[in-house]
Amino acid sequence: MSNAYIDKFPAEAKVVKAAFYSSFLALALGGVFGVIQTLHRTDIYRFIDSADYYTVLTAHGVFMVITFTIFFLVGVFTWAVTTSLDRGVEDIRFTWSWVGLMTIGTVMAGVAILAGFVDSIDISASVLFTFYAPLQAHPLFYLGLVLFVVGTWVAGADWFRSWWAWKKENPDARIPLPTFMVLTTMIMWYIATMGVATSILVFLLPWSLGWIETVNPLLTRTLFWFFGHPVVYFWLMPAYLLWYTMLPKFAGGKLFSDPLARVGFVLFLLLSTPVGIHHQYLDPGIAEGFKFIAMTNTMFLLLPSFLTAFTVVASIEHGARQRGGTGYFSWLKSLPWRDPVFAGMALAGLLFAAAGFSGMVNAGMNINYLVHNSLWVVGHFHLTVGTAVALTFMAVSYWFIPQVTGKELWNRSVALIQVVLWFIGMTFMTNSMHRAGLIGMPRRTAEPQYTGFEFETAVGSVGELNAQIALGGVLLTLSLVLFFANIIGTAFGSRSDNLPDNGYAEALSGSDDAPRVLDNLKLWTAIAVVLVIIAYSLPLMSIVDRGGLFGPDITAFPANLESVRFLAFAVEHLGTAALESAGTLAWNTLPEVIR
Amino acid sequence: MRISKAGLLVVLAFLAPVLVELRTVLAWVNIELSVLETAIIGGIIIAVILVWAFLPENGDEEGAERDVSNSEL
C-alpha cells in the first residue's frame, strides 16, 4: 500500500478529484474557444460570424480564468489544508455543498454564454470576462456568477473551520505554511469579492432583470476592477503556494525560507486589492491623483514578487546542489528536467519573469497610455494566468492526479513534451501580441485591421505578427490535446501501489524563525481593510457624486446624495475604528515580537 | 552526452524566446532579419547545440554518467 493522498484522505480525495476534473472540463472548452478566436482574429481561418466572436471571447475568458483556475485552486487548497494540518475536513457534506454551489453556478453562467450562439434562444451573455456596464447579460449569467462566488466563500469557511478545529488542539503551534497561505489568500478573496458582489447584486442583476432602468457604468467598472486585479492574485497565489511548498521538493531540496514565504503572502494580502484603479488609467471620470495612489500601491507589489522569485530560485538551487550540482550555473544541469512536474513549473516561472516586466509597463501611469486596451495587455495576461498559473496547474496535475486517483501517470514523456510545447507556443503567441500592442493594435475586436489604415511595425509585417499568434495558438492547442490524452489515460488506468508519498517541502529556515506576528491574521486583515478604504472611499464617493448611483439624476432606489454623504460619514468612522483596532493589535503584538 | 536528453529538450525550448526576441533586438542596431533568415540562424544554433550536447565530455564517456538528472526519455 502506498502513502498517497487518497490512502490517508479517501473522502477528501474525491472532492479534490471532482474539483480538478471540473477545472479540466472548463480548460477543454476554453481551449477550443481560444483557438477559434485566434484563427478568426488573425484571419487565418474563419468559420464563425464576426458578431459571434464576442461570445467566443466571453466563453474563452470565463471558462479559462474563472472556472478552470478557481476549480483547480479549490482542489489544491483542500489538499493543502488537509495535508498540512494532517486532518480531514470537519464535515464532508459541508465540503460537497460548496462544490455543488460552484458547479451549479458554472452551469448557469455557461448556459447563458453558450446560448448566445443559438438565435432561437433569447438568452445571451456576450459581455466578455470583465462583464461591466454598459454591456448587459441575461440574469442567468449574473446569478451563476453569484452562486459560483458564494461557493468559494463557503469553501473558505470550510478551510477556516478546519484551522480553528486544529488550533483548539494545537493552541501554541504555528500555522503550517500551506494552511497559512490558503487562509491569507482567502482573506484577500473575501475583501476583493465585496466589489464584484456589490456590482452584481446592487446594480447589474437588478438592471438585467429590469428592476432598474440605468446604472452608472463607471461605478460598475470601478467595482469590477476592485475585484478584477485581486482576482489575478487569487489565481497566482495558489501557483505561488505550489512554487514555495512543492517545487523545492520536486527539485530535490527544501524551501529556502518559511518566514520569507509568510512575509510574501502577508504583503499580497495587504496590497492585492487597493490597486485595481491601475486598470482604469484611461477612465476620464477618475481623478489623476487617485490613479497615482493606485500606481504607487501597485509598484509596492513588486516587493513580494521579488521575494518570491528569490526564495523559489534559492530553493531550486539548494535542490540542485543536493543532487550533486556545482558551479555558478552548472547546477542547473543537475535539476530533474526529466520530471514533467518540475520542468513545467520551472518553465512557467521563467515566463512569469517576462510577465513581470510587461506588467511594470502596464502599471506605470505614463507608459500605460501607450499600450492601454491594446493587444499588449492580452500578451501580458497570457504570460501571467495563461502560463505562470495554467502551466503550473497542468504540470502539477501530473503529481496530483495520481495522488487523488491512486493511479500512475499514463505517460511521463508525453507529459514532458506537453509542458515544453506550452512554453514554446506561449512564447510565439505572447511575443507577437506584445509587439502588436506596441504598434497600437487593439484588443477585444474581431476585426483589428481598419479600412484605409496600415499599422507600421518596427520589425517584420502585420501578416507575420498574425501568423506568429496563430502558430502559437495552434501549438497551445496541440499541447492541450496531449494534456487531456494523459489525464484521460491516467483516469482509465488501474490502481497502483507505486505512488510517491503525499507531502510538501520542508524548510531550511522553518516557521520557528518567523516572528509570531506574521500569524496574526486579525492584524493583517485590519490593515488590508484600512488600505482598501484609503484607496477606494474617495474615488467611489467622487464617482457617485458626479454620476449618481444609477446614472446622473436617477434615484432608482431610495438613494440620494444625502445618503451618500451619510455613507461617507459611516465609512470614515469605520475606517477610524479599523485603524484604532489595528493600532491596538500592533501595540499588543509588538512586545511579543520584540521579546 | 554532456547533458541529459530532457535537459537538451528544455535548452532547445528556451531557444524559442531567444530567437524570437533576437530579431527585435537586432532591429535596434539596424540589422533587419527576415523570417527565413531568422529560421536559418535558429537552425544553425540548434545544430551547434546538438553537436555540443552529443560530444563526449573531455573525450570520455563518464561525463554522461556524471549528470545526475535522469537521462531517459
Side-chain angles (χ1 to χ4, degrees):
Chain A
M1 177 150 163
S2 61
N3 192 22
Y5 184 71
I6 191 173
D7 300 315
K8 180 84 188 280
F9 302 107
E12 288 79 2
K14 282 183 187 164
V15 173
V16 178
K17 188 168 67 174
F20 285 166
Y21 285 170
S22 305
S23 82
F24 296 156
L25 185 62
L27 178 65
L29 283 169
V32 169
F33 290 116
V35 74
I36 291 172
Q37 79 178 83
T38 304
L39 297 177
H40 185 94
R41 196 196 138 97
T42 54
D43 205 14
I44 303 282
Y45 179 65
R46 293 185 161 195
F47 66 92
I48 57 163
D49 191 81
S50 279
D52 285 335
Y53 176 85
Y54 304 94
T55 311
V56 171
L57 185 53
T58 307
H60 176 64
V62 171
F63 287 133
M64 284 299 206
V65 302
I66 298 285
T67 322
F68 160 58
T69 52
I70 297 180
F71 257 120
F72 194 89
L73 74 87
V74 294
V76 170
F77 280 3
T78 304
W79 163 84
V81 169
T82 48
T83 298
S84 63
L85 298 181
D86 197 23
R87 63 184 295 137
V89 295
E90 298 310 299
D91 180 353
I92 197 71
R93 286 170 303 177
F94 185 72
T95 303
W96 278 111
S97 75
W98 57 255
V99 175
L101 273 174
M102 288 176 66
T103 308
I104 295 167
T106 299
V107 170
M108 286 167 70
V111 165
I113 295 168
L114 298 177
F117 290 115
V118 186
D119 292 337
S120 56
I121 303 174
D122 191 24
I123 296 175
S124 77
S126 304
V127 289
L128 314 187
F129 147 68
T130 43
F131 65 80
Y132 39 66
L135 298 177
Q136 190 187 58
H138 189 273
L140 193 64
F141 174 77
Y142 299 118
L143 284 169
L145 288 181
V146 168
L147 284 185
F148 187 83
V149 171
V150 169
T152 62
W153 288 349
V154 179
D158 199 10
W159 302 319
F160 268 96
R161 203 175 159 194
S162 286
W163 172 56
W164 285 323
W166 175 87
K167 202 173 155 189
K168 272 185 191 164
E169 295 166 14
N170 303 273
D172 297 321
R174 301 300 299 265
I175 309 173
L177 186 61
T179 298
F180 177 83
M181 291 171 160
V182 171
L183 300 181
T184 44
T185 305
M186 288 314 295
I187 294 168
M188 183 278 290
W189 180 243
Y190 285 127
I191 296 170
T193 43
M194 289 300 129
V196 76
T198 309
S199 175
I200 293 177
L201 293 174
V202 179
F203 302 108
L204 297 177
L205 185 57
W207 180 51
S208 174
L209 287 165
W211 295 349
I212 55 174
E213 285 186 6
T214 59
V215 294
N216 177 344
L218 182 59
L219 182 58
T220 63
R221 278 171 67 86
T222 307
L223 287 172
F224 176 83
W225 287 120
F226 180 102
F227 146 91
H229 194 76
V231 75
V232 172
Y233 286 94
F234 196 49
W235 308 323
L236 274 172
M237 284 159 80
Y240 284 4
L241 182 152
L242 296 166
W243 292 351
Y244 274 116
T245 64
M246 298 303 283
L247 195 54
K249 177 180 136 109
F250 298 134
K254 293 180 177 179
L255 171 63
F256 181 73
S257 170
D258 173 300
L260 269 183
R262 283 176 204 257
V263 168
F265 269 69
V266 166
L267 288 172
F268 282 125
L269 161 61
L270 299 184
L271 297 169
S272 294
T273 312
V275 296
I277 287 176
H278 76 222
H279 289 260
Q280 297 176 279
Y281 284 150
L282 282 184
D283 279 17
I286 300 175
E288 298 296 290
F290 299 144
K291 294 174 183 173
F292 186 84
I293 292 170
M295 178 181 76
T296 311
N297 287 345
T298 308
M299 293 302 176
F300 276 118
L301 267 173
L302 287 172
L303 181 60
S305 301
F306 283 137
L307 280 180
T308 301
F310 170 78
T311 314
V312 172
V313 173
S315 308
I316 291 175
E317 183 182 346
H318 173 258
R321 294 194 187 281
Q322 294 302 301
R323 298 168 62 90
T326 54
Y328 284 119
F329 295 107
S330 299
W331 56 267
L332 286 166
K333 287 201 295 182
S334 300
L335 290 169
W337 295 110
R338 173 69 184 88
D339 179 3
V341 185
F342 173 82
M345 290 172 79
L347 291 175
L350 193 63
L351 280 190
F352 188 52
F357 292 120
S358 68
M360 278 190 265
V361 172
N362 300 343
M365 250 174 94
N366 48 354
I367 338 178
N368 180 285
Y369 297 161
L370 178 70
V371 296
H372 199 95
N373 264 342
S374 75
L375 210 52
W376 168 285
V377 181
V378 186
H380 166 73
F381 65 67
H382 276 86
L383 286 177
T384 53
V385 67
T387 309
V389 176
L391 184 53
T392 295
F393 285 0
M394 284 188 281
V396 86
S397 297
Y398 296 133
W399 184 82
F400 269 121
I401 293 299
Q403 288 291 318
V404 296
T405 59
K407 297 166 182 176
E408 275 191 274
L409 186 66
W410 174 62
N411 192 308
R412 278 163 57 88
S413 297
V414 169
L416 182 62
I417 291 167
Q418 185 266 316
V419 295
V420 168
L421 206 54
W422 190 270
F423 175 85
I424 295 173
M426 207 49 102
T427 297
F428 279 118
M429 196 171 86
T430 56
N431 165 271
S432 44
M433 283 176 164
H434 280 101
R435 284 165 56 204
L438 281 177
I439 59 171
M441 198 179 280
R443 62 186 289 204
R444 291 170 168 160
T445 173
E447 310 291 347
Q449 288 285 17
Y450 302 121
T451 311
F453 174 79
E454 288 293 325
F455 289 110
E456 288 188 21
T457 55
V459 184
S461 63
V462 170
E464 286 174 24
L465 288 177
N466 281 336
Q468 197 176 311
I469 292 174
L471 172 65
V474 170
L475 291 177
L476 291 168
T477 308
L478 282 176
S479 176
L480 277 183
V481 170
L482 295 182
F483 176 73
F484 289 117
N486 225 336
I487 295 300
I488 293 168
T490 307
F492 284 101
S494 50
R495 277 297 297 257
S496 167
D497 287 333
N498 187 28
L499 295 173
D501 290 350
N502 181 38
Y504 57 96
E506 293 174 25
L508 282 173
S509 170
S511 59
D512 291 342
D513 297 331
R516 292 195 79 88
V517 70
L518 285 174
D519 286 8
N520 191 334
L521 297 181
K522 285 179 189 165
L523 172 67
W524 304 124
T525 307
I527 296 175
V529 169
V530 169
L531 286 176
V532 169
I533 290 170
I534 290 170
Y536 268 103
S537 56
L538 289 175
L540 283 174
M541 279 191 282
S542 164
I543 290 166
V544 173
D545 206 27
R546 292 174 65 177
L549 265 179
F550 298 93
D553 304 323
I554 292 169
T555 51
F557 290 148
N560 53 38
L561 289 183
E562 282 305 313
S563 65
V564 171
R565 287 197 189 98
F566 175 74
L567 191 67
F569 179 77
V571 166
E572 190 183 327
H573 278 261
L574 272 175
T576 314
L579 270 172
E580 276 179 9
S581 65
T584 312
L585 267 169
W587 184 254
N588 291 336
T589 47
L590 268 176
E592 275 183 54
V593 178
I594 293 165
R595 269 203 297 274
Chain B
M1 273 185 80
R2 289 165 180 256
I3 189 170
S4 67
K5 285 179 187 168
L8 179 60
L9 182 68
V10 171
V11 168
L12 293 179
F14 183 68
L15 205 57
V18 173
L19 280 171
V20 164
E21 298 294 347
L22 179 72
R23 218 176 146 214
T24 315
V25 172
L26 287 179
W28 287 350
V29 288
N30 292 325
I31 302 172
E32 297 206 3
L33 299 176
S34 67
V35 174
L36 182 65
E37 288 164 339
T38 311
I40 290 170
I41 291 174
I44 292 169
I45 296 174
I46 288 171
V48 169
I49 290 174
L50 287 175
V51 168
W52 168 82
F54 282 96
L55 276 180
E57 199 169 12
N58 300 326
D60 61 45
E61 293 297 325
E62 287 178 16
E65 301 303 321
R66 203 177 303 149
D67 184 354
V68 293
S69 171
N70 190 339
S71 62
E72 293 166 25
L73 182 61

